[in-house]
């Protein structure tokens, strides 16, 4: 059983020692809670649980603390994928829910598994998700002062459970100040992908991740017999051709954990019950 989570990248405006320490402690706490939850739950349920904890922490650009778009509105996206069934569900540009990842998870039981905008919100309301503003004062100040916070904030979790099953979940509050209607990578197979061989969650500039099909390439290459390290190396080498800004976390079916970024520093933590690793 293994868990790895990420909380996006540091931006130029939040690289203080205090923020770094806060994120390290937060990620340590969340990855430990996720591993404890995993003892009696599936990889699928654990991935959603871990991402919900990240969404609830205003240190990250997902759920509470999401970035505000150019028209002053917060729109969030999230997805979850079950490596065993190879089914993915997600929400795109949903507003006024506390945990988009749980709405994405709820959609897994539907035939129509990816909803966007007002349709996603209507579905959430009809299925018991209360209206909830995720805006915090800091994000409003950033918006009003037009201070971009890097545009690289996403959270994610990859899990391998005791049955050897893999799952992944990813959530984002967007890049901030984007054109309304912009689609991030988080609710696509480029940013969130899993099968029975490997699971990957990405963070960074969504357009770069989609152009490179990052998560899908890594998983496909591992499925075809490439080691997880070589799959990452080849995929990130291809990312260089577009000067892509991305980071990714992954676990393969053999329990190998891997992470890589094209620019420093992706914040992450992993835990297998013995070894706890965090970003430096």
């Amino acid at each position: 059983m293994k868990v790895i989570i990420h909380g996006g990248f540091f931006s130029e405006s939040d690289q203080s020692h205090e923020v770094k320490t806060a994120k390290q402690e937060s990620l340590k706490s969340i990855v430990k809670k996720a591993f404890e939850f995993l003892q009696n739950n599936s990889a699928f349920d654990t991935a959603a649980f871990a991402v919900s904890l990240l969404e609830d922490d205003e240190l990250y650009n997902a759920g509470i603390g999401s970035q505000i778009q150019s028209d002053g509105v917060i729109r969030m996206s999230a997805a979850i994928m079950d490596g065993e069934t190879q089914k993915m569900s997600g929400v795109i540009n949903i507003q006024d829910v506390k945990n988009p990842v749980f709405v994405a998870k709820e959609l897994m039981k539907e035939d129509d598994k990816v909803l966007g905008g007002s349709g996603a919100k209507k579905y959430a309301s009809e299925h018991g998700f209360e209206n909830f503003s995720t805006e915090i004062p800091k994000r409003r100040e950033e918006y009003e002062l037009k201070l971009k916070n890097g545009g690289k904030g996403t959270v994610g979790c990859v899990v391998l459970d005791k049955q050897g099953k893999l799952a992944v979940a990813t959530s984002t509050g967007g890049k901030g100040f984007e054109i309304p209607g912009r689609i991030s990578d988080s609710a696509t197979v480029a940013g969130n992908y899993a099968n029975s061989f490997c699971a990957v969650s990405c963070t960074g500039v969504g357009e770069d991740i989609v152009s490179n099909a990052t998560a899908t390439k890594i998983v496909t290459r591992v499925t075809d017999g490439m080691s997880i390290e070589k799959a990452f190396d080849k995929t990130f080498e291809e990312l260089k051709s577009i000067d892509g800004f991305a980071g990714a976390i992954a676990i393969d079916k053999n329990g190998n954990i891997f992470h890589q970024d094209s620019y420093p520093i992706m914040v992450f933590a992993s835990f297998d019950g013995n070894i706890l690793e965090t970003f430096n």
Side-chain angles (χ1 to χ4, degrees), residues 10 14-27 59 265 267 279-280:
F10 276 122
D14 68 1
Q15 289 189 20
S16 69
H17 176 72
E18 290 77 15
V19 171
K20 177 180 180 180
T21 301
K23 287 192 173 184
Q24 286 174 328
E25 293 307 310
S26 166
L27 290 170
L59 282 169
I265 299 170
V267 302
F279 72 97
N280 292 317

Side-chain angles (χ1 to χ4, degrees), residues 81-87 165-167 194-196:
M81 188 162 183
D82 187 328
E84 182 184 24
T85 64
Q86 294 187 51
K87 299 291 187 181
K165 296 175 182 177
L166 292 158
N195 65 12
S196 60

Side-chain angles (χ1 to χ4, degrees), residues 150-172:
K152 305 166 186 73
T154 302
V155 301
C157 177
V158 180
V159 184
L160 175 69
D161 66 22
K162 56 190 171 186
Q163 265 74 50
K165 296 175 182 177
L166 292 158
V168 59
T170 309
S171 181
T172 186

Side-chain angles (χ1 to χ4, degrees), residues 53-208:
L53 297 181
L54 290 159
E55 288 176 335
D56 290 345
D57 192 326
E58 64 182 50
L59 282 169
Y60 310 108
N61 175 25
I64 294 172
S66 291
Q67 296 281 0
I68 300 173
Q69 297 189 354
S70 60
D71 61 350
V73 175
I74 291 172
R75 298 176 180 88
M76 302 165 288
S77 297
I80 186 166
M81 188 162 183
D82 187 328
E84 182 184 24
T85 64
Q86 294 187 51
K87 299 291 187 181
M88 187 179 85
S89 55
V91 290
I92 297 172
N93 288 334
I94 192 170
Q95 298 179 43
D96 296 320
V97 295
K98 184 180 180 185
N99 294 112
V101 73
F102 283 149
V103 185
K105 183 184 178 189
E106 184 74 12
L107 277 164
M108 187 61 80
K109 68 184 183 184
E110 307 291 348
D111 291 332
D112 302 328
K113 289 181 166 54
V114 181
L115 297 181
S118 59
K121 173 58 178 172
K122 183 174 184 290
Y123 178 86
S125 298
E126 290 173 349
H127 288 78
F129 293 90
E130 296 179 357
N131 204 60
F132 184 93
S133 173
T134 56
E135 182 180 312
I136 60 174
K138 179 183 177 185
R139 294 295 187 239
R140 178 54 60 179
E141 290 168 11
E142 289 171 349
Y143 172 76
E144 291 174 352
L145 296 172
K146 298 186 183 298
L147 294 177
K148 295 187 179 182
N149 194 19
K152 305 166 186 73
T154 302
V155 301
C157 177
V158 180
V159 184
L160 175 69
D161 66 22
K162 56 190 171 186
Q163 265 74 50
K165 296 175 182 177
L166 292 158
V168 59
T170 309
S171 181
T172 186
K175 66 179 183 179
F177 307 99
E178 62 264 64
I179 297 170
R182 179 248 184 191
I183 305 298
S184 77
D185 67 287
S186 298
T188 75
V189 294
N192 183 92
Y193 196 62
N195 65 12
S196 60
F197 291 87
C198 186
V200 177
S201 174
C202 296
T203 182
V205 175
E207 286 74 8
D208 294 347

Side-chain angles (χ1 to χ4, degrees), residues 188-191 193 202 206-221 235 238-239 242:
T188 75
V189 294
Y193 196 62
C202 296
E207 286 74 8
D208 294 347
I209 293 166
V210 169
S211 294
N212 189 53
T214 305
T216 307
K217 281 183 176 179
I218 293 170
V219 172
T220 300
R221 284 166 172 159
T235 304
E238 291 166 349
L239 192 65
I242 58 170

Side-chain angles (χ1 to χ4, degrees), residues 1-5 31 34-35 38-39 43 46-47 157-162 164-167 250-258 269-275:
M1 293 185 290
K2 298 188 179 184
V3 179
I4 184 169
I5 59 176
V31 79
F35 188 81
L38 180 60
Q39 306 307 303
T46 303
C157 177
V158 180
V159 184
L160 175 69
D161 66 22
K162 56 190 171 186
K165 296 175 182 177
L166 292 158
I251 304 177
D252 68 18
K253 67 175 184 178
N254 298 316
N256 296 306
I257 295 177
F258 203 78
S270 63
F271 190 50
D272 63 2
N274 294 306
I275 300 172

